[in-house]
Amino acid sequence: MQTIQLNNGVKMPQLGFGVYQIPPEETSEAVYQAIKIGYRLIDTAAIYGNEKETGMGIKRALDEGLVTREELFVTSKLFILQAPEDKAAVTIEHSLKVMNLDYLDLYLIHQPYGDIYGAWRALVAAQKAGKVRAIGVSNFKAAKMIEFVRINDVKPQINQIEVNPWNQRIADQKWHDKYGVQIEAWAPFAEGRQDLFTNQILAEIGQQYGKTVGQVVLRWLMQRKIIALAKSTHPQRMAENLDIFDFALSQSDMAKIATLDKKESAFFDHDDPQQVEWFMQRMVDTEK
Ligand SMILES: NC(=O)c1ccc[n+]([C@@H]2O[C@H](COP(=O)([O-])OP(=O)(O)OC[C@H]3O[C@@H](n4cnc5c(N)ncnc54)[C@H](OP(=O)(O)O)[C@@H]3O)[C@@H](O)[C@H]2O)c1
């Protein structure tokens, strides 16, 4: 698996498997299958409700000798509720405990709300204590990322944000490069929104190489030096999404994909007041 070196020297697989929206009862099997097929980067979050089952799938793969722990790169994330410093520390311990792991490879502040500075101090402490190899943020816009880097002594290794053909983040990537923060793409397929999987431009590019739309999209992210997470509960698609290292998109292909950029989220804007209300409600619900 191709890796990318983060700003603290840690090497991270460039392509990974995400478990968002996989029901807990299916997660262990999906994670196990993903590792068996060749994924080494596994991405979950406290709020996904399947951290425990993600850990179970990892344990099964380790017990069967499919991989060693050192070969895997496991990520989880801190939700807003847990952002205050003391709660953040407890939550990191909780993630490790439920996932049955001694350390995580990456831990992220999941959303740009609440006491993100207190949460960051807790993540830095966990990293110093060897509980987490890399730390970062998620869903930070470039402006917030810059402020965060300038205020804190330790800068994030990663910002996990939405990147897909409808929302390419070209300008944002330049800012992240300037500050040495690696972009990791969530929803590379935009979860199939706006008919991504049948898009004619992407399909025609793929036909030249005998590749599918999904493969073209992931390859495009690899060539842009972006880390990508893909999710599927179907082993055949898991394998398809991993089979992207035997071809390269040309400059002309990349230019055609650039024309698809709508420069806006296929989901929502993190600064939309209605969306912020939704997140805050979610936080209150989770606290019950
Ligand atoms: N930090 C954040 O706020 C955040 C937000 C969203 C996601 N994420 C992370 O990013 C990961 C990926 O994002 P995502 O799950 O939202 O969306 P995604 O990977 O863009 O899309 C997943 C969807 O695409 C389908 N699919 C996958 N491969 C396919 C293929 N080769 N052909 C046709 N359909 C295919 C899947 O269906 P099947 O499962 O039925 O195959 C699923 O419906 C998540 O799992 C999560 O780990 C993070």
Side-chain angles (χ1 to χ4, degrees), residues 32-199:
Y32 169 78
Q33 288 297 339
I35 295 171
K36 196 171 178 185
I37 286 164
Y39 289 88
R40 295 297 174 256
L41 162 59
I42 308 289
D43 182 274
T44 186
I47 197 70
Y48 296 172
N50 56 16
E51 271 184 318
K52 180 179 168 207
E53 294 76 10
T54 299
M56 286 162 62
I58 291 170
K59 184 169 187 320
R60 185 173 159 206
L62 292 173
D63 287 349
E64 289 185 16
L66 297 184
V67 278
T68 61
R69 174 67 187 88
E70 294 68 36
E71 287 171 317
L72 290 178
F73 194 100
V74 186
T75 304
S76 194
K77 314 182 194 88
L78 183 74
F79 197 58
I80 317 160
L81 145 80
Q82 302 119 339
E85 209 165 337
D86 52 340
K87 282 194 184 177
V90 171
T91 306
I92 296 167
E93 290 296 341
H94 185 259
S95 290
L96 285 169
K97 195 173 164 206
V98 295
M99 294 183 78
N100 201 10
L101 296 172
D102 297 329
Y103 67 92
L104 279 158
D105 296 280
L106 177 63
Y107 209 76
L108 304 175
I109 294 178
H110 201 153
Q111 300 293 348
Y113 311 123
D115 181 12
I116 51 176
Y117 292 96
W120 190 245
R121 286 192 291 276
L123 262 64
V124 170
Q127 187 176 38
K128 282 196 181 127
K131 291 173 186 169
V132 194
R133 293 174 65 224
I135 52 178
V137 297
S138 178
N139 296 307
F140 277 37
K141 292 190 178 179
K144 178 60 88 182
M145 178 277 296
I146 293 167
E147 177 192 337
F148 205 71
V149 167
R150 297 300 285 260
I151 295 263
N152 289 299
D153 293 337
V154 177
K155 67 178 171 186
Q157 272 88 66
I158 288 279
N159 186 12
Q160 187 181 115
I161 55 176
E162 177 196 344
V163 190
N164 50 56
W166 313 142
N167 188 20
Q168 303 193 4
R169 316 296 292 261
I170 306 288
D172 288 338
Q173 189 175 13
K174 291 194 180 113
W175 285 112
H176 283 74
D177 286 349
K178 178 173 176 185
Y179 284 88
V181 178
Q182 174 65 44
I183 291 184
E184 181 178 25
W186 62 254
F189 308 134
E191 295 180 5
R193 287 176 187 216
Q194 300 170 38
D195 298 325
L196 181 127
F197 289 111
T198 51
N199 178 271

